[in-house]
Amino acid sequence: MSETGKSLRDIRKRRGLSQAELSRASGVSLSVIRKLEQGERKSARLETLRKLASSLRVPTMRLAGGSNEDGPVEGTEERWEDVRRALEHPPAVPELDDDMPTVDGVRSALLASAPFFQKDKFTELAHVLPPMLRDAEALGPEGRAVRVRLLQLAGWLMVQTRQFEAAEVALQRALDDASDRMEAASTVNTQCWLLLRQGRLDEALDLAVRWADDTEPRISRATPDELSTWGWMLLRVSAAAVRNSQRGQAADALKFAKSAAVALGREYAPQSDFLRTFGPTTVILKSAENASVVDRPDVVLRLADTIPATGLRPTSNNRNRHFLDVSDAFAKTGQYPEAFSKLSDIQASSPEWLPNQSYARTVLGRIVEGRRTLTPEMRQMAEDIHLEI
C-alpha cells in the first residue's frame, strides 16, 4: 500500500467514516477511494486529494506521499534539451573563436525576446534562449542584473513547461545573484509557483509566508514596487493554503492582498515586468482561482462577470489561467458549449501553452463526459492537448 493509501485509510477510520460515507462527503468516487486504500493506485490528482482532505479535516499534504502533479508533456523534454543544458551546465569560459558578449548586446537580445515570453512562443524561445544563457553567463559581475532577469524568465518558462529540475536550477541561480530584497522576492514568487505545480504545498506555504512577512511594508509609506511584491507573496500564501485545505489562512492572506491592491488603486507592473503585474484585477482573478479549487463554480462565474477580460494581457499568468477556471466552472454546471468555447479561445491565442496544462485536460475531460456526442473540433483539441478519449 502506498503512503497516500495508508494515510487515507488510517485517517478515515479515526474519523469513524466508511469508504461510502467518505465518498458521499467528498464527492470522490467510491472506486477511487477503494483503489487508493487497497494499493491499486499509488496516489491521485491534487484536486482529488484536496477533496478527501477537506472532508477528513486535515491538510491536503497529510494524504500526499510526494508530488502529485503531472510531469512534462511527451515531446517537450526534447524541445527544451538545449535550454536545460545551458542552465545546468553553463560553459566555464567562452569558446576561443567566439566574440566576447557584451552587457548591452545580451540586454538587447533579452528585450527583443520579451514578446516571445509574453505570448508563450515556445518554439522561438527554445531557439533563442540557449545562446542568450551562455552569453549571459560569460558576462561576469558586470552582467549580473541582466543575467538575473534572464534566469528569472528562464525559470518561469521551465515551470510553465514542467521542466522542474531545470526550473529549480535557474531560479536558485537567480536568487543567489540577486542584489536586493525586491529582486530576490521576484524570484521567490516563481519558486512558490514551482512548488505549487509540483504539489509541494507545505513547502510552498512556508516559503510564501516567510517572504510575505519579510516584505510587508508600512502601507501609508509603501512604494508601488513594495505593494506589488508583498501582494504577490500574499497571493502565493493564499494559493498554497487553499490547496492544502487551510481555508482560514487562505482567506486571511487574500484579504491582506486586497488591501495592498486597494492601496495601489490600479494594475501595476514593477519595471514593466509582466510576470509581477498586481492590482485589484489580479486579486479578483486569484479569488476566482481559489473558488475553483474549492469547487464553487457559481462564485467563479460571478467573479468572472466583474473582471474586465478585454483589458487582460493574453499571458498564462492571468487571462489563460482565468479562462481555464471559467471553462471549468461552465463544465461543472453543465454548460458544455460555453466551456468548450472558452477552451477554444485559449487555444486560439496560446496554442503552444494549452498542451502543457494538465488542468486543460481535466476540463476537456469533464466536457467529454458530459456530452452525448463529440464534435470534430473537440476531438481535434483532445488530440492537441494529449487527452485520450
Side-chain angles (χ1 to χ4, degrees):
M1 182 185 300
S2 68
E3 183 179 340
T4 293
K6 183 178 185 302
S7 296
L8 176 61
R9 182 197 61 191
D10 292 347
I11 296 170
R12 174 181 62 77
K13 289 183 175 181
R14 286 200 297 272
R15 294 289 186 266
L17 296 173
S18 68
Q19 291 178 336
E21 288 170 334
L22 178 57
S23 175
R24 288 192 294 272
S26 65
V28 176
S29 74
L30 181 58
S31 173
V32 169
I33 293 172
R34 284 175 175 167
K35 288 179 180 178
L36 285 169
E37 292 194 4
Q38 292 170 2
E40 294 179 33
R41 292 183 57 169
K42 292 184 178 180
S43 190
R45 290 185 55 79
L46 203 59
E47 177 185 357
T48 301
L49 295 181
R50 188 205 60 75
K51 291 178 180 178
L52 292 169
S54 180
S55 297
L56 294 169
R57 304 187 305 281
V58 296
T60 305
M61 294 309 291
R62 285 279 299 279
L63 300 181
S67 172
N68 295 282
E69 288 298 291
D70 294 338
V73 173
E74 183 179 355
T76 58
E77 290 181 298
E78 292 80 3
R79 165 182 278 183
W80 300 110
E81 182 178 355
D82 289 344
V83 175
R84 290 198 308 273
R85 186 182 299 115
L87 286 169
E88 297 171 358
H89 306 287
V93 294
E95 298 292 335
L96 294 177
D97 58 348
D98 285 346
D99 292 332
M100 286 298 296
T102 64
V103 174
D104 287 343
V106 176
R107 183 182 293 114
S108 295
L110 180 56
L111 288 173
S113 69
F116 299 153
F117 286 100
Q118 294 172 359
K119 298 179 181 179
D120 302 307
K121 299 293 186 181
F122 294 163
T123 299
E124 288 86 346
L125 287 169
H127 177 70
V128 303
L129 260 183
M132 270 201 294
L133 287 165
R134 288 192 292 268
D135 285 352
E137 187 65 23
L139 291 177
E142 66 274 12
R144 185 208 55 76
V146 68
R147 184 167 52 251
V148 167
R149 179 58 180 155
L150 180 57
L151 288 168
Q152 288 173 338
L153 287 169
W156 171 82
L157 178 65
M158 293 295 95
V159 178
Q160 190 69 270
T161 57
R162 299 182 179 276
Q163 315 297 308
F164 294 144
E165 291 185 8
E168 289 177 356
V169 171
L171 295 172
Q172 189 58 56
R173 288 177 56 196
L175 188 61
D176 290 343
D177 224 3
S179 63
D180 58 51
R181 186 179 60 170
M182 293 294 104
E183 190 173 60
S186 176
T187 301
V188 171
N189 184 17
T190 305
Q191 285 183 321
C192 289
W193 181 43
L194 167 61
L195 293 169
L196 286 170
R197 273 214 144 182
Q198 292 176 299
R200 297 158 62 183
L201 302 183
D202 287 338
E203 294 174 68
L205 184 57
D206 289 346
L207 183 63
V209 166
R210 186 165 69 250
W211 277 81
D213 290 344
D214 188 56
T215 58
E216 181 178 0
R218 180 173 295 182
I219 297 291
S220 60
R221 299 180 183 177
T223 66
D225 281 20
E226 290 172 334
L227 288 170
S228 173
T229 297
W230 183 52
W232 259 114
M233 286 300 145
L234 291 166
L235 291 179
R236 296 304 190 198
V237 171
S238 184
V242 76
R243 285 164 172 79
N244 208 27
S245 302
Q246 296 171 250
R247 294 195 189 184
Q249 188 171 7
D252 289 343
L254 196 59
K255 179 179 68 175
F256 286 118
K258 288 178 182 177
S259 299
V262 168
L264 266 174
R266 68 191 192 284
E267 293 295 299
Y268 175 76
Q271 301 177 16
S272 300
D273 181 357
F274 75 102
L275 294 179
R276 291 191 286 162
T277 300
F278 177 82
T281 299
T282 298
V283 172
I284 298 174
L285 291 173
K286 294 304 178 182
S287 299
E289 184 177 318
N290 282 10
S292 180
V293 169
V294 297
D295 291 323
R296 290 298 307 273
D298 56 322
V299 176
V300 174
L301 296 176
R302 175 171 56 79
L303 288 172
D305 287 338
T306 71
I307 296 171
T310 55
L312 296 176
R313 303 178 75 174
T315 70
S316 51
N317 267 44
N318 42 49
R319 177 182 180 270
N320 291 347
R321 167 67 207 213
H322 175 62
F323 276 15
L324 278 179
D325 286 331
V326 172
S327 179
D328 189 46
F330 278 135
K332 286 178 176 177
T333 54
Q335 301 176 71
Y336 301 117
E338 292 85 351
F340 187 72
S341 176
K342 283 298 181 184
L343 281 181
S344 299
D345 288 344
I346 302 171
Q347 188 175 42
S349 64
S350 299
E352 294 186 89
W353 180 85
L354 195 63
N356 290 278
Q357 312 308 313
S358 60
Y359 188 13
R361 289 187 284 278
T362 298
V363 175
L364 185 56
R366 295 192 205 281
I367 297 171
V368 169
E369 290 177 4
R371 297 269 305 189
R372 290 184 177 179
T373 59
L374 302 183
T375 66
E377 292 79 12
M378 291 176 181
R379 293 184 181 279
Q380 183 60 55
M381 183 180 289
E383 181 178 341
D384 292 341
I385 69 173
H386 310 286
L387 174 69
E388 295 183 4
I389 59 173

